[in-house]
Amino acid sequence: MAKMLMKGNEALALAAIRGGCTHYFGYPITPQNEITEYLAREMPKAGRVFLQAESEIAAINMVVGASAAGGRVMTSSSSPGIALMQEGISGLAAAELPCVIVNVQRGGPGIGGIQPSQADYYQMTRGGGNGDYSILALAPATVQESAEMIRDAFQLADKYRSPVFIASDGMLGQMMEPVEFGDTQPTLMAEKPWAVVGHGGKRKPNTVKTLALDPLVLEEMNLARQKKYAQMIATEIRYENFQVDTAEIVLCAYGSTSRIVKNAIDLLGQEKIAAGLIRPQTLWPFPDAPFQNLSKKCRRVLCVEMSCGQMIDDVRLAVNGRLPVDFFGRTGGIIPAPEEIVGQVKLLLGRK
Amino acid sequence: MTVVFSKTPGLTENETHYCPGCTHGTIHRLVAEVLVELDLLEDTIGCGSVGCSVLSYNYLNVDMVESAHGRAPAVATGVKRVHPDKPVFTYQGDGDLASIGTAEIVHAAHRGEKITTIFVNNAIYGMTGGQMAPTTLIGQKVTTAPDGRDIAHSGMPLRMSEMLAQVPGSAYIERVSVHNPKAVRRAKRAIKKAFTYQMERKGFTMVEVLSTCPTGWGLSPIDSLKWLEENMIPYYPLKVFRSPEEDYPQ
Amino acid sequence: MCNEKILCAGFGGQGVMSLGQLLAYAGMIENKHVTWMPSYGPEMRGGTAYCSVMVSDTPVGSPIINNDATCVIAMNQPSLIKFEDTVAPGGIILINSSLTDSTVTREDITAYNIPALDLATECGNGQAANMILLGAYLTITKTVLMTSVIEAFKKVFGKKAEKLLPLNEKALKKGGDIILTIESVLPH
Ligand SMILES: Cc1ncc(C[n+]2csc(CCOP(=O)(O)OP(=O)(O)O)c2C)c(N)n1
Ligand code: SF4
Ligand SMILES: [Mg+2]
């Protein structure tokens, strides 16, 4: 396929179809409506199912049903909608049901605003729902990466029988950029012997469930899930290092913000200040290693987010006291300007 | 000089953000005038909703609380239980009330909550850019049903007034419209009745108002009024579905 | 080296979004790095709509313009007032003088008053005012070739819009020619 100029949201939607998504359930909310509208138009043409749910609560529970029944399922929403889905997401993690959940983040809390934000980091990585569970969260920074990560998300969901988040935001969703889709066919869906499809008289009935009244049984189930999470931590962490080796200050940012930080690093370079970037591509599991292997040149770490400071908790845990870790952020839907970040870096390094 | 028309003190001085030809503004004015005429303005507490009318608290000259999408009837229940003697109302769109908020509206009616709901049905999601609502008409083209709403896929448009009239706790349910001056006068009478019955503690009261969305429908303001009359009214008949004045089987 | 940051603004319906998309698409055709970022949300109702376009030889970081636009295209008076300060020192501003009654106050930028609506009407339809301005912009900056814009037009608007192509092509060329005869308001 030739290069196309697409909105991040549309690229996510097209990549979902190409990734073999069979069922999409969603409810309108800005700034992710292009996903819903694209799939309303294109899923039927591809012989797949699009259904507008009456609410995000309904949407995520439709995902539960379709995933349990063996479908390759996706939903998308934005921050307040993801908040409503939390009960279902906890249930999906507990029942070990594969699915992809896209969060095109906007300013909160509450109804908040509709401009870009990264204030759902806790919601996605700390579990907004109840219980001991974790969810893989992939964070694209370009439209191209949005498309690639959706493809990977479906595969990871099947591989681990787990929901997978795509952590996008209003800027990445709304902006257009060139994107190329390889000619690869969608990966085949994993065998799902656990799915509820009717036993046909050939096997014992399958049940998809989360209820476990016997504490010993529930503990065992939780420990089994922890093993799965440990495997994700061992094999699925992704990040990008940008000019980290020579940096005297290393910045950490993901998604849209990482793009602004790259501009800031260029500006700093023009002033002979060596700065680098660690860009987590998985928010959970978080990439600890690059922070543990920082060169001697690095004097401090600055975490930049479109929030009041959430990912900084993980950065501090990874740095583990070896270096000072500071924070700079804008919130409420404001995208930080490169110059603001440059100013903060200079202040921290004591340069004028 | 005689004053033929003046802005009601029930509205603030703020200019509304509604698109040209949108009838949300007319409906605001009716609610405001009724509250003034019934001398309720000072006591009234409104519950906003999420939709194009999300900023209604900037325009209605009463105390108001914001509600999450669809939850206004629950918020209003909370308010009313603290102030049982004060007029409490919700102002909700059709996505808000008939889609995400169906549980809350049904149970507010079911409890016979003494509130008034102003239900603005424009057969579309205006605020988010023209997606399908449960009230979208068959064949109506919207962004999430680009070939038009299809019964087999999305069901028939939901008639909320008819449905809520079946709920025992409902005292007064009427559907009105604002597509011409006569309809507007009738809509005002209905809203007045609803607040009056609320104050008489008769039970749950709701006025469904058919409203235009020129932007979402892709029509001019004038054509929108015509489209409402020719397409919405045949499916959504204007009438009283429930009234305490009639005997209704309990 | 090409590192253009263009902000296009006007009323909803004036074609500012498509102007930006055509430019970005043409840049992509020429293998440049491009982004297009719209203003979004209910503020679009009746108000000012705008988009930011980056066309660059190197990968684009931020798609957002923070008072560093190399060019602002202002299609109406509110946009002119709102975005004059967005132009970087030394940058240019193209003003649709058919719909504005003032011009810039700054002296460190170059402004061109172009009666785009009138010129488009002469071409056959006022709706093509955006193309007049795009043509003018391309003659001044040579960011992409006009032929790439025409190729982009077919891609962005598809088969349905093919009958509109002659009008748009005419307006693009007219804008490109006319700018040679228009003196900037404040020459460098
Ligand atoms: C939990 C949640 N989901 C989705 C939204 C996005 N949203 C805002 S308004 C709206 C629909 C509004 O439609 P309607 O109630 O018909 O009001 P109208 O704009 O048509 O007056 C939606 C889905 C939201 N704000 N919160
Ligand atoms: S989008 Fe529709 S409902 Fe909303 S203000 Fe505009 S016309 Fe009114
Ligand atoms: Mg509506």
Side-chain angles (χ1 to χ4, degrees):
Chain A
M1 263 170 113
K3 222 193 264 179
M4 294 190 276
L5 189 68
M6 284 187 109
K7 278 193 171 196
N9 282 340
E10 291 169 343
L12 285 170
L14 175 55
I17 295 180
R18 292 176 57 85
C21 174
T22 61
H23 291 74
Y24 170 90
F25 307 97
Y27 185 76
I29 186 166
T30 312
Q32 67 81 53
N33 287 318
E34 292 80 5
I35 302 178
T36 315
E37 293 171 355
Y38 188 97
L39 292 173
R41 212 164 56 232
E42 302 297 333
M43 286 287 269
K45 289 187 202 161
R48 322 280 177 80
V49 174
F50 164 89
L51 190 62
Q52 182 176 323
E54 72 272 28
S55 68
E56 292 85 353
I57 299 176
I60 198 72
N61 285 291
M62 290 173 185
V63 168
V64 169
S67 178
R72 192 168 245 201
V73 196
M74 173 169 127
T75 185
S76 63
S77 189
S78 177
S79 311
I82 300 289
L84 271 182
M85 291 183 182
Q86 291 302 332
E87 175 193 50
I89 294 172
S90 165
L92 284 157
E96 305 199 72
L97 291 173
C99 65
V100 175
I101 304 163
V102 177
N103 182 4
V104 185
Q105 300 172 76
R106 66 185 224 181
I111 301 170
I114 56 173
Q115 299 303 321
S117 162
Q118 296 179 318
D120 297 351
Y121 185 91
Y122 285 155
Q123 186 176 243
M124 289 184 285
T125 63
R126 299 298 190 270
N130 60 303
D132 276 324
Y133 72 95
S134 297
I135 290 185
L136 259 168
L138 302 176
T142 62
V143 172
Q144 182 70 43
E145 204 174 26
S146 299
E148 288 163 8
M149 281 184 169
I150 277 276
R151 180 200 60 202
D152 297 349
F154 279 109
Q155 277 170 254
L156 290 165
D158 276 350
K159 177 174 171 191
Y160 290 104
R161 284 190 58 184
S162 166
V164 176
F165 270 125
I166 298 286
S168 181
D169 64 69
M171 179 176 124
L172 200 52
Q174 291 296 323
M175 70 184 277
M176 282 182 141
E177 228 174 3
V179 54
E180 254 175 317
F181 293 84
D183 289 320
T184 49
Q185 290 300 307
T187 52
L188 285 178
M189 262 204 278
E191 288 285 318
K192 295 179 177 175
W194 46 264
V196 291
V197 295
H199 57 60
K202 297 200 182 85
R203 57 162 168 75
K204 281 196 201 149
N206 282 344
T207 45
V208 174
K209 64 183 179 77
T210 71
L211 177 73
L213 292 176
D214 181 342
L216 281 174
V217 172
L218 183 51
E219 182 179 55
E220 203 175 301
M221 286 163 66
N222 274 323
L223 294 178
R225 275 192 286 271
Q226 290 302 317
K227 268 197 195 136
K228 179 167 91 173
Y229 299 146
Q231 199 200 335
M232 291 181 191
I233 293 169
T235 48
E236 305 303 344
I237 288 174
R238 303 183 189 186
Y239 60 92
E240 178 198 352
N241 266 359
F242 178 76
Q243 300 180 13
V244 167
D245 291 345
T246 51
E248 80 181 279
I249 182 163
V250 165
L251 288 79
C252 177
Y254 74 95
S256 286
T257 309
S258 70
R259 303 175 65 115
I260 321 282
V261 166
K262 280 188 179 171
N263 281 30
I265 290 173
D266 283 348
L267 291 174
L268 287 163
Q270 288 165 21
E271 299 186 42
K272 303 268 176 301
I273 298 173
L277 166 71
I278 295 172
R279 174 171 77 90
Q281 290 164 301
T282 49
L283 305 183
W284 194 95
F286 187 80
D288 289 339
F291 295 94
Q292 288 155 0
N293 302 325
L294 288 172
S295 82
K296 292 244 152 42
K297 284 202 195 77
C298 180
R299 290 164 48 202
R300 43 197 328 145
V301 174
L302 174 64
C303 183
V304 186
E305 302 174 52
M306 285 193 282
S307 77
C308 292
Q310 301 190 9
M311 181 172 69
I312 188 172
D313 291 2
D314 284 331
V315 176
R316 286 213 168 103
L317 286 169
V319 172
N320 201 10
R322 285 183 297 273
L323 290 171
V325 178
D326 293 282
F327 177 75
F328 179 76
R330 295 299 301 266
T331 166
I334 296 182
I335 301 168
E339 289 74 16
E340 295 178 273
I341 301 168
V342 167
Q344 189 65 23
V345 166
K346 287 201 208 161
L347 194 73
L348 288 170
L349 294 178
R351 308 278 175 87
K352 43 158 201 13
Chain B
M1 201 178 74
T2 45
V3 178
V4 190
F5 179 83
S6 66
K7 197 166 175 179
T8 162
L11 292 174
T12 64
E13 291 301 317
N14 297 325
E15 202 181 305
T16 71
H17 67 289
Y18 298 112
C19 305
C22 174
T23 44
H24 260 303
T26 313
I27 302 165
H28 281 14
R29 186 172 47 105
L30 297 184
V31 173
E33 286 177 358
V34 163
L35 292 177
V36 170
E37 286 166 24
L38 294 177
D39 199 19
L40 294 176
L41 198 64
E42 290 176 9
D43 281 345
T44 297
I45 303 151
C47 300
S49 67
V50 182
C52 281
S53 61
V54 68
L55 297 178
S56 56
Y57 44 66
N58 286 343
Y59 313 134
L60 294 166
N61 197 5
V62 294
D63 280 3
M64 285 193 77
V65 52
E66 177 192 273
S67 321
H69 195 23
R71 318 300 173 208
V75 174
T77 298
V79 172
K80 189 76 186 191
R81 298 295 170 127
V82 175
H83 298 288
D85 299 328
K86 299 207 164 147
V88 175
F89 73 94
T90 71
Y91 186 106
Q92 302 175 258
D94 47 337
D96 193 85
L97 180 142
S99 191
I100 192 168
T102 38
E104 284 76 5
I105 195 68
V106 167
H107 286 276
H110 158 66
R111 289 186 302 268
E113 214 59 61
K114 279 120 202 111
I115 61 171
T116 296
T117 288
I118 308 296
F119 167 38
V120 180
N121 178 0
N122 56 11
I124 204 161
Y125 286 21
M127 168 156 241
T128 39
Q131 294 84 7
M132 187 176 68
T135 43
T136 295
L137 296 177
I138 294 305
Q140 186 185 338
K141 285 190 176 149
V142 285
T143 59
T144 49
D147 299 326
R149 183 186 182 135
D150 168 42
I151 304 174
H153 188 263
S154 311
M156 291 290 285
L158 199 53
R159 293 185 176 116
M160 289 306 295
S161 287
E162 285 83 338
M163 189 175 128
L164 290 171
Q166 308 302 313
V167 177
S170 295
Y172 176 69
I173 310 275
E174 179 168 358
R175 184 185 292 118
V176 296
S177 172
V178 287
H179 66 285
N180 63 33
K182 195 168 154 226
V184 171
R185 283 193 294 276
R186 190 172 147 188
K188 184 168 167 183
R189 274 200 301 277
I191 293 171
K192 205 169 201 169
K193 271 193 189 170
F195 276 101
T196 307
Y197 290 140
Q198 179 190 161
M199 297 318 284
E200 291 168 1
R201 310 188 59 76
K202 300 277 195 216
F204 174 75
T205 57
M206 181 176 91
V207 181
E208 174 176 347
V209 190
L210 302 184
S211 183
T212 61
C213 177
T215 303
W217 298 351
L219 296 174
S220 72
I222 303 275
D223 288 347
S224 296
L225 295 170
K226 231 175 105 194
W227 191 88
L228 186 159
E229 184 173 9
E230 288 171 5
N231 296 280
M232 288 184 77
I233 295 178
Y235 188 82
Y236 296 115
L238 307 183
K239 68 186 254 202
V240 178
F241 293 96
R242 180 87 179 242
S243 165
E245 285 156 22
E246 302 157 23
D247 257 348
Y248 197 88
Q250 290 293 316
Chain C
M1 205 185 91
C2 174
N3 187 12
E4 283 290 295
K5 305 179 174 191
I6 308 101
L7 189 138
C8 323
F11 294 124
Q14 278 189 307
V16 289
M17 297 298 181
S18 21
L19 194 173
Q21 277 184 30
L22 287 174
L23 183 56
Y25 211 107
M28 182 179 82
I29 290 172
E30 297 186 9
N31 281 318
K32 293 187 159 74
H33 296 273
V34 299
T35 59
W36 173 91
M37 176 77 198
S39 58
Y40 65 89
E43 72 166 326
M44 273 157 52
R45 289 204 185 111
T48 311
Y50 64 95
C51 65
S52 314
V53 178
M54 308 290 191
V55 184
S56 173
D57 289 331
T58 53
V60 181
S62 172
I64 306 284
I65 288 173
N66 303 295
N67 292 344
D68 57 353
T70 55
C71 175
V72 163
I73 298 177
M75 290 197 67
N76 62 12
Q77 185 70 31
S79 308
L80 174 60
I81 292 166
K82 189 166 175 189
F83 293 111
E84 179 180 345
D85 287 344
T86 303
V87 187
I92 59 174
I93 182 162
L94 307 188
I95 303 162
N96 177 11
S97 58
S98 311
L99 289 183
T100 48
D101 44 29
S102 69
T103 188
V104 290
T105 52
R106 283 171 64 184
E107 300 196 352
D108 59 343
I109 59 177
T110 310
Y112 296 90
N113 286 327
I114 305 165
L117 181 59
D118 301 309
L119 292 168
T121 310
E122 281 170 31
C123 289
N125 193 333
Q127 278 292 307
N130 59 347
M131 299 301 274
I132 298 275
L133 292 163
L134 180 54
Y137 166 78
L138 293 180
T139 296
I140 299 169
T141 64
K142 312 217 165 16
T143 303
V144 294
L145 298 171
M146 283 200 192
T147 48
S148 305
V149 172
I150 290 156
E151 201 184 325
F153 190 93
K154 297 178 198 156
K155 292 267 166 53
V156 173
F157 300 111
K159 278 261 181 297
K160 277 182 299 188
E162 229 154 63
K163 58 178 190 301
L164 293 173
L165 186 57
L167 165 71
N168 283 278
E169 202 170 341
K170 196 167 156 194
L172 190 67
K173 294 223 168 84
K174 182 155 200 157
D177 292 342
I178 210 92
I179 193 69
L180 298 170
T181 69
I182 294 178
E183 287 216 16
S184 63
V185 181
L186 293 163
H188 286 297

